[in-house]
Amino acid sequence: MLQYPNEKYRPFTPISLRDRRWPEHVLQQAPRWLSTDLRDGNQALAEPMDSERKLRFWELLLQCGFREIEVAFPSASQTDFDFVRQLIEEERIPEQVTIQVLTQAREDLIDRTFDALRGAKRATIHLYNATAPLFRRVVFRQSQEEIIHLAVRATQRIRQHCEAHPETSWSFEYSPETFCFTEAEFALQICEAVADVWQPCAERPMIVNLPATVEVSTPNVYADQIEHFCRHFTWRQAVCISVHPHNDRGTGIACAELALLAGADRIEGCLFGNGERTGNVDLITLALNLYTQGIAPELNFSQMDQIIEVVTECNQLPVHPRHPYAGELVFTAFSGSHQDAIKKGFAARQPGSAWEIPYLPLDPADIGRNYAAIIRVNSQSGKSGAAWMIEQNHGLALPRALQQDFSQRVQYESDRSGKEMTLSSLWQLFRHAYGLHDTMPLLLHSYSTQSAASGELLLSADLMVKGKLIAVTGHGNGLLSSAVDALRSAFHQELTILDYHEHTLGQHSDSRSAAYLCCTLADGSVTWGVGIDQDVARASLQALLHASAAQLFSASQPESERK
């Protein structure tokens, strides 16, 4: 890189718009949307879509609710021409959907384009030519007058074709293709000349598309350009102002949103931002940005995983794991503090209330995702992360102190392995740490209780101790105190119950119950046990046995499970 880049690169000169109004505006409704995945997106692919892939993508766009779809550049290739014919001849275009096609400002290409559209019920002809000084000087070597003449003649030709085929409902779109670095006054001049030919009205709809063909400035400058154009264009009230932002500076989304504030009515782009170079603006992100502000985008992305599957198969391009809203990791928190905030947000949320969950601007359920992957666990995670995964996937609402105990075990294991803890490995660690497995050396086989005349409870239980059945008895003022007495008598084990929690694992009367029990052992160590059973009393006894086994059989336990 150059030490003095100003010797090679020149900054873009913004227009002067001191009384700009767009910063005070607020988005309140969705724009008109046009998907150009099948045209602009397709031409940017290393291997453009064949007919089968295009049809699959077409059906997806209809499913998502697009009513304007740019389907092809029919004069550019036979494949594109044939695809337009297939849509029309096979009657694949719903009544309310308008197809759009692109053409350059050449008479032979315009004629070929209308051949492709023969028999269409609704269609938009999209005419473009480059207008910026660089293109006029280097690419076309034409004056402003010659560039205007080219656009005017092409518009005249298009209008003649439209009037010759009144059976189709026609719309016309014109793009000064390099609007964002075309002189503001010249952009107005050429669009005025084109509109004068077309004479836009209700019977002859017109779209003026103002593309950021290559991003050359900050989004606020683009917004100034859009507002300046809207305020000075003679035909403004008779036309739809559209924008087509690219993402060369990584600000395509911001350019589109600010352009809407500045007066634009319509957005052209692609799903997940596919397109030339760094891509077109991403329509999914734009639409869901509106959605999270309470604005109905009038597009349906409720089955995001299916959308990703179709788009990646058709484009043969992956969706990045961090892609806004859609990526695999965008709803995932690894950080302990983030996990704790998210967990508390879900716990505090009331059904039907406004969505207010820390770190989650969108409810994953609204786009067909579940909550399982919101929190994932690695060495950076805290107590809430592991607890969330256990609760979401197994229904166990761990007491806070048990969350802390388990998080220490998770930290030890993830530090040891250096890897993320999968749900499976997390559950295996939990089961082995707190006794929820059949290989425990101390298990409850059966039990019975009887009330004594003194008011105490008598407990008789059969325990499986390393595979052998042993009968124990104890008494106390309750079930757990009787069980503690039985362990003291049978194994000379001294322990004190510090904490106990229980809850059901479902809404039905026959749902299983979970019991969590914390003990202090004779050596001062603290240990937890967990029990799950349809009988809550049995679950509590299991939890006590699992907690006491940590001391009775500590020599047989791995070091990681004794921590």
Side-chain angles (χ1 to χ4, degrees):
M1 296 179 67
L2 300 175
Q3 184 176 0
Y4 302 103
N6 61 304
E7 296 177 353
K8 183 174 183 179
Y9 298 100
R10 299 172 183 169
F12 183 78
T13 303
I15 65 172
S16 178
L17 192 66
R18 299 189 183 279
D19 61 338
R20 62 182 61 84
R21 302 163 190 165
W22 62 262
E24 299 178 359
H25 295 167
V26 176
L27 297 180
Q28 295 182 328
Q29 63 183 26
R32 286 170 56 179
W33 303 101
L34 174 119
S35 162
T36 187
D37 288 273
L38 299 176
R39 199 280 300 171
D40 200 347
N42 185 55
Q43 75 180 34
L45 300 177
E47 297 181 11
M49 288 180 267
D50 57 19
S51 177
E52 182 179 351
R53 284 157 61 197
K54 268 200 162 190
L55 280 176
R56 190 174 182 202
F57 211 130
W58 164 261
E59 293 297 333
L60 174 66
L61 293 172
L62 296 180
Q63 176 185 319
C64 290
F66 285 96
R67 296 295 176 258
E68 297 180 66
I69 303 173
E70 192 165 56
V71 295
F73 195 154
S75 63
S77 73
Q78 190 63 43
T79 300
D80 271 19
F81 185 96
D82 291 342
F83 180 68
V84 178
R85 294 308 312 153
Q86 182 179 14
L87 293 179
I88 296 170
E89 292 172 3
E90 296 181 2
E91 299 183 349
R92 292 178 176 268
I93 308 169
E95 186 70 29
Q96 71 276 21
V97 172
T98 300
I99 59 171
Q100 179 168 302
V101 295
L102 185 70
T103 182
Q104 292 171 308
R106 280 174 39 189
E107 290 190 359
D108 58 327
L109 302 183
I110 292 170
D111 294 346
R112 175 73 168 163
T113 300
F114 275 91
D115 287 342
L117 290 170
R118 186 179 64 256
K121 295 179 181 178
R122 302 166 60 89
T124 299
I125 302 291
H126 182 188
L127 171 71
Y128 78 96
N129 66 318
T131 56
L134 176 63
F135 281 75
R136 299 197 310 262
R137 185 179 71 252
V138 175
V139 181
F140 300 110
R141 299 180 181 179
Q142 291 182 330
S143 66
Q144 290 186 354
E145 291 73 20
E146 290 172 309
I147 294 292
I148 291 174
H149 180 68
L150 183 69
V152 165
R153 284 191 57 187
T155 303
Q156 290 170 338
R157 186 77 172 185
I158 289 170
R159 179 164 175 175
Q160 290 170 3
H161 274 289
C162 291
E163 291 175 347
H165 297 281
E167 68 277 9
T168 297
S169 177
W170 298 106
S171 184
F172 172 57
E173 176 174 341
Y174 174 67
S175 292
E177 186 211 357
T178 49
F179 168 79
C180 61
F181 52 107
T182 296
E183 306 96 318
E185 297 310 315
F186 181 56
L188 279 166
Q189 185 181 358
I190 193 168
C191 290
E192 293 278 7
V194 168
D196 287 344
V197 172
W198 185 256
Q199 293 289 302
C201 59
E203 293 73 29
R204 281 188 304 280
M206 181 176 179
I207 300 162
V208 176
N209 186 49
L210 305 175
T213 309
V214 179
E215 282 195 304
V216 293
S217 64
T218 51
N220 62 298
V221 173
Y222 185 54
D224 281 352
Q225 293 172 318
I226 300 298
E227 180 172 330
H228 178 273
F229 186 93
C230 290
R231 287 165 61 177
H232 293 90
F233 186 52
T234 304
W235 295 91
R236 174 64 187 98
Q237 300 306 314
V239 304
C240 170
I241 298 296
S242 179
V243 292
H244 181 119
H246 277 256
N247 199 43
D248 302 271
R249 293 167 54 92
T251 60
I253 295 289
C255 281
E257 292 182 328
L258 267 57
L260 291 175
L261 293 175
D265 308 304
R266 181 177 182 262
I267 300 284
E268 298 187 355
C270 293
L271 303 187
F272 305 116
N274 181 41
E276 298 281 13
R277 305 177 310 281
T278 55
N280 293 286
V281 71
D282 173 17
L283 298 184
I284 288 179
T285 299
L286 267 175
L288 292 179
N289 282 354
L290 292 173
Y291 183 79
T292 57
Q293 297 299 303
I295 300 170
E298 300 176 8
L299 292 174
N300 180 7
F301 299 124
S302 60
Q303 301 299 318
M304 187 61 71
D305 289 340
Q306 178 195 356
I307 294 170
I308 292 173
E309 178 185 352
V310 174
V311 173
T312 53
E313 181 177 321
C314 292
N315 285 344
Q316 299 180 1
L317 292 171
V319 173
H320 195 281
R322 300 289 182 191
H323 194 100
Y325 302 112
E328 178 186 356
L329 296 177
V330 297
F331 297 116
T332 300
F334 290 102
S335 162
S337 61
H338 290 200
Q339 293 174 346
D340 185 58
I342 291 170
K343 184 172 182 291
K344 289 175 178 175
F346 272 98
R349 186 167 188 267
Q350 298 298 317
S353 63
W355 180 257
E356 290 182 312
I357 303 294
Y359 299 110
L360 295 178
L362 174 73
D363 184 351
D366 289 355
I367 58 170
R369 298 272 174 85
N370 59 37
Y371 299 137
I374 286 178
I375 290 175
R376 287 163 59 174
V377 174
N378 61 17
S379 61
Q380 303 299 307
S381 305
K383 64 181 184 300
S384 293
W388 166 271
M389 292 180 69
I390 295 296
E391 181 173 359
Q392 289 298 307
N393 293 279
H394 299 284
L396 301 180
L398 308 188
R400 181 177 178 80
L402 180 54
Q403 293 181 31
Q404 294 171 333
D405 185 87
F406 186 48
S407 71
Q408 293 175 7
R409 297 171 184 271
V410 172
Q411 182 79 32
Y412 175 85
E413 184 62 27
S414 57
D415 278 339
R416 185 189 64 79
S417 67
K419 297 180 180 179
E420 177 188 355
M421 293 285 290
T422 65
L423 175 60
S424 175
S425 61
L426 198 71
W427 180 236
Q428 290 302 315
L429 178 63
F430 185 86
R431 291 176 64 243
H432 281 272
Y434 303 114
L436 297 178
H437 60 95
D438 295 334
T439 59
M440 279 293 292
L442 182 60
L443 295 169
L444 177 66
H445 182 267
S446 61
Y447 80 97
S448 62
T449 59
Q450 182 179 354
S451 296
S454 62
E456 287 189 313
L457 187 73
L458 304 179
L459 170 71
S460 300
D462 290 332
L463 307 181
M464 293 296 297
V465 182
K466 290 188 173 182
K468 294 182 179 180
L469 196 64
I470 296 178
V472 299
T473 59
H475 61 88
N477 58 8
L479 179 66
L480 289 177
S481 63
S482 300
V484 169
D485 183 63
L487 291 174
R488 184 185 301 113
S489 300
F491 304 109
H492 308 291
Q493 184 184 36
E494 295 293 333
L495 57 82
T496 302
I497 297 175
L498 290 179
D499 199 4
Y500 175 78
H501 298 267
E502 65 181 50
H503 66 81
T504 59
L505 293 176
Q507 303 297 321
H508 304 291
S509 58
D510 60 349
S511 296
R512 294 189 302 166
S513 295
Y516 312 93
L517 189 143
C518 179
C519 293
T520 301
L521 304 179
D523 59 3
S525 62
V526 176
T527 181
W528 280 87
V530 178
I532 299 175
D533 200 278
Q534 285 187 322
D535 176 8
V536 66
R538 185 180 178 88
S540 65
L541 291 173
Q542 290 174 345
L544 176 64
L545 294 178
H546 298 160
S548 66
Q551 180 190 51
L552 291 175
F553 306 99
S554 59
S556 65
Q557 301 296 310
E559 179 184 353
S560 63
E561 294 186 14
R562 300 200 304 270
K563 293 187 77 65

